[in-house]
Amino acid sequence: MAARVVPVEPFDLTVFGATGDLAKRKLLPALYHRMRAGQAPADSRIIGAARSDLNQESFRRMAEAALKEFVPAGDLDQRAVANLLAALDYVQVDAADPAGWPNLAKTLDGSTRVRAFYLSVAPDFFGQICERLQAADCLTPEARLVVEKPLGRDLDSAQSLNRRLASIFDERHVYRIDHYLGKETVQNLMALRFANALFEPLWNARHVDHVQITVAEQVGIGGRGAYYDQNGAMRDMMQNHLLQLLCLTAMEPPAAFEPKAVRDEKLKVLRSLKPIDGLTSVIRGQYRPTATEAGYKEDAGNPDSHTESFVALKAEVANWRWNGTPFYLRTGKRLRARMSEIAVVFKEAPHSIFPAESGWAPPNVLAIRLQPDEGITLSLTIKDPGPGGMRLREAPMDMTFAAAMGAKAGAMPDAYERLVMDVIRGDQTLFMRDDEVEAAWAWMDPVIHAAETASKPPAVYDSYSSGPEDALMLMHQDGRRWRDIEA
Ligand code: NAP
């Protein structure tokens, strides 16, 4: 069954960094899919902006090549491609140079449509680009700004970035993307919790033993070595994606599914996080070389690097709902498989009525899988079929969204499709507010500081493993174990 599509009004979207990786791999394909689905009107305008010496025609050729590379061949339809290309324009600008900006103003001039500026460039340019947009008279009172991580590298820099953006854009018009929040599964976590009466009564420390959030990648740091080595897993992943997933799992039911209510509840979770000891509750690691592949230090081009490619930590949400239920978070590169999930592990049944030979009834686990194959699995203990007496075994109740919706595997819309359309619709629910970003940094800062100033280097772990031994110990010492990292 095809999803119902509500078209948005025609818009003018300027993409800074339109010649870069994110634009080619994600934004142009996302716009293509939304236009093909009839949601983004064909008379919208997408204006690429970057320093490269391109014009409308050569930018269209670049975009066409990007679509061929990043849209599955079966989804490429000539008419839809032609529609997207016809919507494209290009303006050459340099954030560091005032020339070119009047051309952008001229290109946008006269239009009263929704006007959005997507800054798909390094964050060092965010402030400067906003200031140039204002100076060149490119802004309308309702103009929207879209920015993506990294949003600062600590609380101070995040505050100063927020202040700089706020001097030009009202917070109502700033869209801070965390693309994890645009994933269908993550939105389904909210549907699961707040549109069903089944789980919410159990969603608390009385019934939940602990929560595990894993974002595991199989790839190493690849060509991003220098950038990554300045940041590490704590800044690159933990401060944003994993804490956002924790917020959505732990938050109270908002009064309504609308931006202020949802973001207020997420903020309360961040502010309820107990300070943790960066040395005992946090495990950091670096991947080893294999016979054929370089290890972390070599990939980073820094033989003395103490930056972590893996981090695991135990967080506690100090409020009535979660007191006593820890949240274990881990993320890393070059791990056994690419797998992201939130696993809510319930407490064991208080008493077993079955004889010991029936076997152990493991706790129920609700696993919300973000990748691969977005879906939800609830593991239940059932009777092993057959006449062999009452033998218990674990069985999954599995719902892969693509299969449940009758779609082809891999046909779920990409997070950017949803998020870019939300920007145009003016819906900030799935975007981070300034105070949320700052609260996340306020909690992470001391953790990062403790790690960076510790004499202990990150533990080395085997490439394609589950991470360092110490991370296993973080759970074992609490009598728990991590779920397997498997695709
Ligand atoms: P990228 O491939 O290096 O692209 C950077 C873009 O910025 C290019 O289009 C470049 O074009 C433009 N640019 C560079 N200097 C400029 C200047 N002085 N004035 C105007 N434009 C300039 O980077 P990316 O991977 O696309 O990432 C862009 C941003 O998104 C970064 O902040 C990154 O952290 C973030 N991000 C990326 C991803 C991803 O999957 N790639 C995911 C999450 C977040 P010209 O050289 O033609 O000017």
Side-chain angles (χ1 to χ4, degrees):
M1 189 178 60
R4 194 168 60 91
V5 169
V6 181
V8 298
E9 293 293 316
F11 55 87
D12 288 348
L13 172 68
T14 304
V15 178
F16 289 94
T19 56
D21 175 67
L22 182 64
K24 288 186 201 162
R25 218 159 35 82
K26 292 290 184 184
L27 303 181
L28 289 168
L31 288 158
Y32 164 78
H33 282 298
R34 288 300 90 208
M35 209 171 255
R36 180 175 177 239
Q39 188 168 32
D43 58 343
S44 301
R45 293 195 304 167
I46 299 150
I47 301 154
R51 292 169 309 174
S52 297
D53 186 10
L54 298 178
N55 55 28
Q56 187 182 55
E57 210 181 302
S58 46
F59 179 58
R60 285 178 177 174
R61 278 201 300 273
M62 188 216 82
E64 189 174 10
L67 294 184
K68 282 196 178 130
E69 189 174 353
F70 296 112
V71 175
D75 291 344
L76 278 176
D77 133 19
Q78 288 302 336
R79 234 179 81 187
V81 171
N83 279 345
L84 181 85
L85 298 182
L88 298 181
D89 205 343
Y90 184 81
V91 178
Q92 190 179 4
V93 288
D94 182 339
D97 183 349
W101 293 82
N103 290 340
L104 179 58
K106 212 162 100 197
T107 305
L108 290 167
D109 199 27
S111 166
T112 53
R113 302 157 156 201
V114 166
R115 187 174 287 195
F117 298 95
Y118 197 124
L119 307 196
S120 179
V121 294
D124 293 350
F125 296 125
F126 289 174
Q128 212 168 20
I129 289 179
C130 292
E131 283 145 20
R132 295 217 184 275
L133 284 171
Q134 188 177 50
D137 230 357
C138 293
L139 301 180
T140 53
E142 297 297 311
R144 292 162 200 177
L145 177 74
V146 188
V147 289
E148 188 159 350
K149 74 162 194 187
L151 301 170
R153 52 176 289 107
D154 53 21
L155 178 58
D156 270 359
S157 53
Q159 284 173 327
S160 99
L161 174 63
N162 281 340
R163 276 196 300 271
R164 201 159 172 200
L165 301 185
S167 70
I168 294 174
F169 287 90
D170 188 287
E171 181 61 28
R172 283 182 305 124
H173 299 136
V174 180
Y175 291 77
R176 293 179 191 78
I177 285 196
D178 184 322
H179 66 269
Y180 275 61
L181 303 191
K183 287 183 182 287
E184 285 290 320
T185 333
V186 174
Q187 295 166 60
N188 252 307
L189 170 60
M190 287 188 274
L192 191 79
R193 285 192 60 192
F194 304 130
N196 295 283
L198 187 62
F199 291 109
E200 206 45 31
L202 304 177
W203 211 260
N204 54 51
R206 260 188 81 195
H207 299 283
V208 176
D209 179 72
H210 71 279
V211 176
Q212 300 186 20
I213 301 180
T214 301
V215 177
E217 293 175 274
Q218 217 175 16
V219 293
I221 56 172
R224 297 170 69 217
Y227 162 81
Y228 192 91
D229 202 47
Q230 295 293 312
N231 293 284
M234 288 200 280
R235 288 192 173 93
D236 192 48
M237 299 295 291
M238 188 61 79
Q239 184 273 343
N240 38 63
H241 304 313
L242 278 93
L243 285 187
Q244 284 293 319
L245 297 179
L246 182 152
C247 285
L248 293 177
T249 311
M251 74 182 185
E252 295 299 316
F257 189 60
E258 55 90 27
K260 183 171 182 326
V262 170
R263 300 191 306 173
D264 284 352
E265 293 304 338
K266 281 162 59 197
L267 180 64
K268 283 186 210 160
V269 174
L270 289 166
R271 290 189 173 156
S272 305
L273 286 171
K274 262 194 201 166
I276 58 172
D277 181 333
L279 296 181
T280 56
S281 297
V282 180
I283 307 298
R284 301 187 313 128
Q286 272 183 356
Y287 58 83
R288 271 205 179 88
T290 66
T292 53
E293 290 174 296
Y296 176 80
K297 287 187 168 66
E298 214 178 324
D299 276 348
N302 179 3
D304 301 321
S305 174
H306 274 202
T307 303
E308 73 288 342
S309 59
F310 174 98
V311 63
L313 59 79
K314 175 179 168 181
E316 288 176 81
V317 181
N319 64 16
W320 277 46
R321 184 186 284 264
W322 293 115
N323 186 40
T325 295
F327 286 69
Y328 298 93
L329 276 48
R330 66 179 163 166
T331 179
K333 302 269 186 198
R334 207 52 100 63
L335 294 176
R336 179 165 292 136
R338 173 172 174 261
M339 178 200 97
S340 302
E341 68 164 26
I342 302 166
V344 180
V345 181
F346 289 91
K347 293 194 169 163
E348 285 183 32
H351 165 71
S352 174
I353 62 165
F354 302 106
E357 348 27 302
S358 296
W360 175 60
N364 301 118
V365 179
L366 180 70
I368 297 135
R369 202 167 54 241
L370 278 68
Q371 59 195 19
D373 298 334
E374 297 192 44
I376 293 178
T377 306
L378 176 63
S379 68
L380 297 172
T381 299
I382 59 163
K383 178 190 167 297
D384 205 13
M390 180 53 88
R391 291 189 318 266
L392 301 177
R393 58 173 271 195
E394 198 177 3
M397 272 178 65
D398 208 345
M399 188 176 90
T400 301
F401 292 144
M405 302 302 153
K408 293 184 298 215
M412 297 299 286
D414 187 78
Y416 283 93
E417 294 181 40
R418 163 73 195 253
L419 294 172
V420 172
M421 288 299 101
D422 278 357
V423 171
I424 305 303
R425 274 192 290 259
D427 183 345
Q428 289 182 306
T429 310
L430 298 177
F431 298 81
M432 294 175 293
R433 204 166 56 193
D434 52 357
D435 48 6
E436 268 184 81
V437 174
E438 291 177 16
W441 279 121
W443 187 73
M444 281 303 295
D445 263 8
V447 180
I448 295 175
H449 180 74
E452 283 180 348
T453 52
S455 49
K456 193 174 160 208
V460 180
Y461 60 93
D462 286 342
S463 286
Y464 309 111
S465 70
S466 300
E469 285 288 311
D470 291 356
L472 305 181
M473 288 311 297
L474 183 73
M475 292 280 261
H476 285 178
Q477 69 199 14
D478 292 348
R480 301 182 174 109
R481 57 180 290 270
W482 291 105
R483 285 162 57 80
D484 291 339
I485 294 181
E486 56 190 9

